[in-house]
Amino acid sequence: MLALYGHPFSSYTWKALIPLYANGTAFEFRLVAPDEPEHAAFVQTAHPAGKFPILRDGDAVIVEATAIIEHLAAFHPGPAPLIPADPALAAQARMIDRVFDNYVMANLQRVVNARIANAAAPDPAEVAAGTAGLQRAYRWLEGWLDTHQLAPHVSLISCAAAPSLFYADWIERIPAECPRLSGFRAELLALPPVSRCVEDARPFRAYFPGGAPDRD
């Protein structure tokens, strides 16, 4: 059986959980937490930076959420085709995956890291850079959504977009001038695999640096 190491409040763990849930893939979730030291020890040795999620599939150990999705698409396919069969569409999906990881997730993480470093007075330069980066990414994605049709099923794009937009909107609200992106976030949160991640993470909201808003 597959085993996924991660934490239900982790955005990148969501990214790996969503395709597993969408395709009904049998797996064991191995919580990485202080009361599960053997899981934490495995993560420290299996990942070059000691990070999760990590997928274990027999003798294969897959690190990084995008690679996990690629592995699932290749070796554990289901009703949701995670990677488009058409090479051009697959390249587009991989491009947008990188946009969400590098320019949405990374910028929200800058703000989160600043809050972790100094909860009382986060570095204003880091906060400003992170929120400005999010606003720029929001505008770019709004334009992209205006000219591209998204698959009606869970895919690499939705796996990357759902956790990114969920937490990014907590840090910096998607502005009114980005209605397509705001609507896309709402559509993603309504997907059963994403909704399941939201609910499983709800008990941990008190740990969100700077405080979680009273909304999804």
Side-chain angles (χ1 to χ4, degrees):
M1 178 174 293
L2 297 174
L4 183 73
Y5 294 77
H7 192 280
F9 200 50
S10 155
S11 55
Y12 281 112
T13 300
W14 284 25
K15 186 174 176 179
L17 283 170
I18 291 167
L20 288 165
Y21 291 155
N23 280 329
T25 307
F27 75 102
E28 177 186 342
F29 186 70
R30 295 181 178 171
L31 178 67
V32 180
D35 55 349
E36 299 285 356
E38 69 279 12
H39 297 168
F42 173 77
V43 168
Q44 288 299 317
T45 58
H47 190 283
K51 296 182 178 182
F52 49 78
I54 297 174
L55 182 73
R56 192 164 198 167
D57 184 3
D59 292 332
V61 176
I62 315 300
V63 303
E64 298 296 306
T66 298
I68 290 171
I69 295 169
E70 294 270 8
H71 180 86
L72 293 172
F75 299 105
H76 300 276
L82 304 173
I83 308 295
D86 179 270
L89 294 177
Q92 280 283 314
R94 292 182 174 104
M95 179 187 78
I96 298 302
D97 171 75
R98 296 295 79 222
V99 169
F100 277 109
D101 278 9
N102 292 332
Y103 306 111
V104 179
M105 197 80 82
N107 279 307
L108 78 88
Q109 194 64 50
R110 290 186 74 168
V111 179
V112 167
N113 288 345
R115 292 176 177 179
I116 292 173
N118 190 335
D123 184 342
E126 277 299 291
V127 173
T131 54
L134 283 174
Q135 287 289 344
R136 180 168 182 165
Y138 290 162
R139 293 192 296 272
W140 188 92
L141 286 162
E142 180 72 12
W144 189 86
L145 289 168
D146 185 37
T147 57
H148 291 80
Q149 185 76 29
L150 292 172
H153 53 74
V154 169
S155 69
L156 176 61
I157 291 178
S158 50
C159 294
S164 296
L165 292 177
F166 180 81
Y167 287 114
D169 193 65
W170 281 10
I171 294 293
E172 179 73 3
R173 293 299 297 264
I174 298 172
E177 57 266 29
C178 295
R180 295 178 186 84
L181 187 60
S182 183
F184 182 43
R185 181 180 185 272
E187 291 173 8
L188 290 168
L189 296 188
L191 293 171
V194 178
S195 177
R196 182 173 177 180
C197 289
V198 171
E199 292 308 312
D200 288 346
R202 197 174 294 278
F204 303 96
R205 290 190 178 195
Y207 298 104
F208 190 74
D214 188 21
R215 59 180 175 83
D216 286 343

